[in-house]
Amino acid sequence: MGTRRMRYVVSACLAGQACRYDGGSNPCPAVIRLVEEGRAVPACPEGLAALPVPRPPCEQAGGRVFSRDGRDLSEDFLRGARLALRKALEQNCAAAILKSRSPSCGFGLIYDGTFSHRLCPGEGVWARLLREEGIELYSEESLPPELGEEKKDQQ
């Protein structure tokens, strides 16, 4: 009888899905493995909001989400974040592994809204909803401790 394994919701781009604004992905081997093992469910708030791929990059400014071409997409991002949160709750996810710096998934530091690659303190729309629901947040840059323990167990 092993320890109960945590179920994760993960940013779909980290699971290798081509859903980034530029049509690419950000594959993270640990996240891909979790999905393959059935321990994680991928979700992309922007995809769930039916935003196109590719699309102009977006950043947060003044509590709103804007595309580089100046469109306010805050309502789209919030709708997608709510749908992605629902998916996480329906799948009984206790934690999330999210794409750092994203206007949806980032937490701690996100892009500052100037489209100049500068970071500022903040959190993405989906990350905020997950945190408010009590779901633990991790990123591809700071994976959950249990993933490190699993590596030791496999050696």
Side-chain angles (χ1 to χ4, degrees):
M1 227 167 119
T3 57
R4 184 183 152 277
R5 291 183 159 193
M6 186 176 293
R7 183 134 172 101
Y8 297 92
V9 63
V10 297
S11 295
C13 65
L14 296 177
Q17 294 181 16
C19 55
R20 277 175 40 119
Y21 74 92
D22 60 3
S25 66
N26 296 301
C28 174
V31 169
I32 292 169
R33 187 176 68 248
L34 285 172
V35 172
E36 288 171 348
E37 293 171 354
R39 296 176 52 207
V41 57
C44 176
E46 290 99 331
L48 290 169
L51 291 174
V53 175
R55 59 186 170 269
C58 294
E59 294 186 5
Q60 286 192 41
R64 308 290 297 172
V65 181
F66 295 95
S67 63
R68 180 181 278 155
D69 59 12
R71 288 178 297 144
D72 184 339
L73 297 175
S74 301
E75 293 307 314
D76 296 298
F77 271 70
L78 183 57
R79 183 176 68 255
R82 286 179 175 150
L83 292 169
L85 172 63
R86 182 184 314 152
K87 186 173 186 176
L89 296 175
E90 287 171 353
Q91 295 292 319
N92 297 312
C93 297
I97 304 174
L98 305 176
K99 178 65 189 107
S100 59
R101 298 179 289 282
S102 154
S104 283
C105 303
F107 61 94
L109 292 174
I110 59 172
Y111 290 112
D112 71 356
T114 63
F115 297 94
S116 61
H117 300 289
R118 284 193 299 234
L119 298 173
C120 67
E123 62 187 347
V125 180
W126 187 33
R128 185 187 82 245
L129 295 182
L130 289 167
R131 180 185 51 75
E132 289 172 352
E133 198 63 41
I135 293 175
E136 242 180 304
L137 303 181
Y138 298 95
S139 77
E140 81 282 11
E141 297 173 344
S142 178
L143 292 168
E146 78 155 322
L147 296 183
E149 291 169 17
E150 284 177 15
K151 287 179 190 169
K152 290 178 200 164
D153 292 343
Q154 292 172 357
Q155 291 178 352

